[in-house]
Amino acid sequence: MPKTGDTPDLATPSPPAHGARPGGLAAMRRRLEVQELRLKAVLDSLSQGLSLYDSEARLVLCNQQFLDIYRLPPECGTPGTTFRQILEARIAGNTHVGDDAEDYVADRLGVATARRALGAIHRLNSGQMISVTHQPMADGGWVSTHKDVTELHNLQAELTHLAYHDPLTGLPNRTLFYRRIGAAFDELARHPGLAVLCLDLDGFKPINDTIGHAAGDVLLRQFAARLAACLGPDDTVARMGGDEFAVLHRGTSETACALASRIGEATHAPFELDGRVVSVAVGIGIAVAGRDGAETDALLHSADLALYAAKRDGRGGIRSFDPELDRAETDRRRIEVELKHAIAMQQFELHFQPILDLGTEAFAGFEALLRWRHPERGMVPPGDFIPVAEATGMILPLGEWVIREALAEAARWPADLRVAVNVSSVQLVRGNLPTILTQALAHSGIAPGRVEIEITESVFLANSDESLETLRRLRALGVRVALDDFGTGYSALGYLLAFPFDKIKIDGTFVRALSSAESARTIVSAVADIGARLGMQTTAEGIEDAEQLRAVHAMGYSEAQGYLIARPMPREAVRRLLTAAFDRMPEAPHERVAG
Ligand code: C2E
Ligand code: MG
Ligand code: MG
């Protein structure tokens, strides 16, 4: 047997050196036994399994780890055991690879005769993952090492799973979802029909806030399960974060809409969380590949815009993308950029619209209405930019300016005239309004009772507890609070009981419908009665003709406001009006329309 360098040949113990002491045969045998024991100790101390075969594919030696890894009986470790016998023992112990035992034996024998160095990870039928190296030796045999890497492999698989899945629901996460859409786009030619649905739960936050995050988690898991049950076999659902989910649907825009309805239905049934029953709704935006987006980002963006629109429609809305949404979004972005600039450049001004006291027939005060004097587009009405200012938080500095400006202006008017200021729900929740008003009152020196804050019903939709708390603190300052645009929002009479408003302002749309719709007359008149019974003042907005004025007067409204009386006007016009009309009767005010 050829020997390479000084490496001791493990296969056969070295013959005794020349000149060994005669009669030392027994001693030599002992030495050999000792050597063998040492070798075995070394082999068994290895962390890996090791096996060595000769050129006839017979085992020369192996260690205990080798036998353990493959669950081989001790006799398999006897030198001289053939490779085939070992393979057969592995088949018996189910530590082979693949279903076909004969194939497996042929394959391994092939590797042995190929005489090439190899390294691979084998997944055994027992489930173990074994890292194997195969190294041919110069004598025609080979040595192989075997390491059980099952745990490492599982850990890696777990890490990979974690990187691509949401731990709470077990659903794919945003990263995996993006990949799946990318893959779906790649095979779109072969497998057409791809749509994305963006979903967002309505009413999740209050549940999470009131009954706790643990219950919120249960709700999300239950919702995820219902969602998964709605899908087709090729669809994927992912949790994008918080209460946002998304579905990749393989199908047409029609099947996507049908899927959205199924999801809406499935969400409809109440959820039971630790004995409590709660209900939520789901807003869904749909975008179809090709028509609404030619790649992942564009498609998701379109589905997102559709979702915003669906949420604007109210609880449980479903919307498909349409290019108009994109234009609106572009407008919104442009306004956002311009608004920032406008705040810096002080392009805003306040106009004031008189409010007529129907009892005294004198002005009760003025409502401050914000105007944006745009350098190119002229006067921009608040409806065009306030929603953007609210969505971006820019309403906070802007609203603060309105309050300071309005109170400072009112300080120049006779002391019995009020000033009304509109505030948005964003200001009530995040705006630090009590402090701002305290400062503005101190700065202007006007009595708190001359200031009226107008809020709309939207305040009751989000964070109503915080909003009500702010309203109470404003009231504690002595400031009055009015409920604006009554009847247009989600109109629950309960809102009137939630807070003791000083005034209800019925929306102009009802007043304008007085002559055409009998139901409008009923509503307008009922609101006057409700106000009277609750001890709240009532203002009829949007009075454009004398008939309307007479009608609301007859119904018992305390105040009226509208183009008939006067349009909103710049502060200089108010000053002129007030100095001209000492008795402050509403005669010939500036910009008055013919009635
Ligand atoms: P609002 O508080 O209900 O104000 C009344 C709106 O009706 C004003 O529109 C006013 O110009 C208009 N109006 C008054 N009389 C008539 C009439 O006879 N016929 C018709 N068709 N309209 C009439 P404007 O100034 O465009 O304001 C729209 C809304 O923007 C306001 O509704 C208010 O909700 C909001 N807004 C205005 N200024 C501010 C502000 O400083 N802060 C906040 N948060 N919102 C504001
Ligand atoms: Mg108002
Ligand atoms: Mg109004």
Side-chain angles (χ1 to χ4, degrees):
M1 181 172 289
K3 230 181 125 200
T4 41
D6 294 333
T7 326
D9 191 343
L10 295 176
T12 33
S14 307
H18 279 293
R21 268 176 288 137
L25 211 66
M28 193 172 73
R29 197 177 294 126
R30 263 203 311 285
R31 273 210 304 285
L32 275 177
E33 277 169 12
V34 168
Q35 261 179 19
E36 221 169 279
L37 281 174
R38 281 183 188 151
L39 180 62
K40 186 165 165 33
V42 169
L43 287 178
D44 286 346
S45 74
L46 293 178
S47 66
Q48 309 186 336
L50 183 135
S51 55
L52 179 75
Y53 299 85
D54 63 16
S55 56
E56 314 279 294
R58 280 188 311 251
L59 186 70
V60 177
L61 59 82
C62 69
N63 61 1
Q64 187 58 40
Q65 286 80 334
F66 172 73
L67 299 176
D68 290 347
I69 284 175
Y70 296 109
R71 302 177 190 165
L72 294 171
E75 59 273 20
C76 275
T78 317
T81 311
T82 65
F83 186 42
R84 177 181 279 276
Q85 284 171 324
I86 289 182
L87 291 175
E88 278 162 1
R90 279 182 55 181
I91 289 165
N94 199 34
T95 55
H96 62 303
V97 180
D99 307 328
D100 190 319
E102 261 321 299
D103 258 11
Y104 173 66
V105 171
D107 176 67
R108 296 325 293 166
L109 291 176
V111 169
T113 46
R115 302 195 50 70
R116 267 187 297 120
L118 292 174
I121 292 187
H122 295 168
R123 179 190 289 276
L124 309 188
N125 291 344
S126 59
Q128 295 159 272
M129 302 295 296
I130 311 294
S131 167
V132 181
T133 68
H134 173 95
Q135 182 67 47
M137 295 198 309
D139 69 352
W142 75 91
V143 62
S144 53
T145 64
H146 313 259
K147 189 174 173 67
D148 190 327
V149 292
T150 315
E151 252 177 59
L152 198 69
H153 185 86
N154 289 347
L155 188 67
Q156 200 176 340
E158 202 174 311
L159 286 177
T160 313
H161 186 86
L162 275 179
Y164 291 108
H165 290 82
D166 162 48
L168 179 70
T169 58
L171 294 179
N173 64 11
R174 184 183 286 272
T175 311
L176 183 55
F177 191 69
Y178 270 71
R179 287 196 179 193
R180 295 259 171 97
I181 300 181
F185 265 114
D186 288 345
E187 59 176 29
L188 207 53
R190 267 180 295 124
H191 186 174
L194 167 63
V196 166
L197 284 69
C198 282
L199 287 69
D200 185 295
L201 285 179
D202 298 320
F204 175 72
K205 197 181 175 312
I207 290 172
N208 207 36
D209 290 349
T210 50
I211 42 182
H213 292 227
D217 285 355
V218 176
L219 174 59
L220 289 174
R221 273 202 292 266
Q222 289 185 10
F223 175 67
R226 289 191 193 179
L227 207 49
C230 294
L231 302 189
D234 294 336
D235 299 347
T236 299
V237 57
R239 180 171 176 224
M240 306 295 266
D243 58 351
E244 288 170 41
F245 293 79
V247 174
L248 182 166
H249 170 65
R250 300 312 309 257
T252 62
S253 64
E254 287 76 30
T255 59
C257 288
L259 172 61
S261 310
R262 280 205 303 281
I263 294 173
E265 288 281 304
T267 313
H268 210 68
F271 289 82
E272 208 188 305
L273 318 170
D274 302 327
R276 281 169 192 263
V277 176
V278 302
S279 61
V280 292
V282 61
I284 305 178
I286 305 168
V288 178
R291 187 186 78 186
D292 306 333
E295 38 83 33
T296 306
D297 282 335
L299 189 63
L300 274 168
H301 181 67
S302 296
D304 254 340
L305 287 182
L307 173 61
Y308 287 141
K311 303 215 48 131
R312 273 200 301 272
D313 292 347
R315 242 174 110 88
I318 298 177
R319 268 278 205 132
S320 288
F321 176 77
D322 102 56
E324 184 49 45
L325 296 176
D326 209 22
R327 269 195 293 281
E329 169 70 6
T330 312
D331 279 356
R332 208 193 63 79
R333 285 237 196 84
R334 182 177 45 83
I335 290 174
E336 183 178 339
V337 171
E338 290 182 349
L339 259 184
K340 279 196 189 118
H341 183 70
I343 290 177
M345 299 304 288
Q346 303 184 335
Q347 290 172 358
F348 294 97
E349 54 191 72
L350 285 186
H351 283 201
F352 297 88
Q353 186 178 32
I355 299 167
L356 180 67
D357 184 320
L358 290 173
T360 63
E361 297 195 348
F363 286 155
F366 292 81
E367 175 175 6
L369 294 161
L370 187 56
R371 297 287 179 268
W372 176 6
R373 194 181 284 281
H374 192 284
E376 289 118 44
R377 284 185 284 132
M379 210 60 106
V380 183
D384 286 5
F385 65 88
I386 283 186
V388 181
E390 287 176 340
T392 55
M394 279 189 266
I395 192 69
L396 298 179
L398 201 52
E400 183 173 348
W401 177 83
V402 169
I403 291 170
R404 279 194 274 106
E405 196 74 5
L407 269 58
E409 189 57 26
R412 308 177 62 129
W413 305 339
D416 56 346
L417 288 179
R418 292 200 187 108
V419 63
V421 180
N422 295 282
V423 305
S424 85
S425 53
V426 180
Q427 287 170 277
L428 276 185
V429 177
R430 287 165 41 202
N432 200 18
L433 274 186
T435 311
I436 292 169
L437 266 160
T438 306
Q439 288 170 354
L441 284 168
H443 203 257
S444 62
I446 68 170
R450 291 180 61 195
V451 178
E452 199 158 69
I453 295 297
E454 295 192 3
I455 63 150
T456 62
E457 288 159 299
S458 69
V459 160
F460 294 99
L461 291 186
N463 304 95
S464 59
D465 288 348
E466 278 161 270
S467 303
L468 284 174
E469 180 52 31
T470 310
L471 289 182
R472 278 184 213 109
R473 289 173 58 200
L474 293 180
R475 178 55 87 48
L477 294 175
V479 166
R480 292 160 52 91
V481 180
L483 184 58
D484 200 358
D485 300 345
F486 189 73
T488 54
Y490 303 83
S491 287
L493 289 174
Y495 296 152
L496 292 176
L497 300 176
F499 189 80
F501 292 100
D502 296 282
K503 183 188 279 188
I504 311 168
K505 298 183 78 172
I506 187 161
D507 195 67
T509 49
F510 295 100
V511 174
R512 283 193 290 277
L514 275 179
S515 59
S516 53
E518 185 56 34
S519 54
R521 176 166 287 275
T522 310
I523 293 171
V524 175
S525 151
V527 171
D529 290 346
I530 291 168
R533 278 164 195 261
L534 293 175
M536 298 174 185
Q537 282 194 315
T538 43
T539 303
E541 289 189 272
I543 303 288
E544 292 185 354
D545 61 42
E547 182 46 43
Q548 292 163 351
L549 185 61
R550 258 194 303 280
V552 298
H553 195 163
M555 288 171 183
Y557 275 86
S558 29
E559 294 177 346
Q561 183 180 355
Y563 292 170
L564 175 73
I565 298 149
R567 291 191 173 242
M569 59 188 89
R571 60 181 183 181
E572 294 77 15
V574 177
R575 289 178 196 173
R576 278 198 302 274
L577 178 75
L578 293 176
T579 37
F582 287 112
D583 57 351
R584 293 193 302 282
M585 289 294 285
E587 49 194 13
H590 187 85
E591 287 184 75
R592 179 173 174 171
V593 264

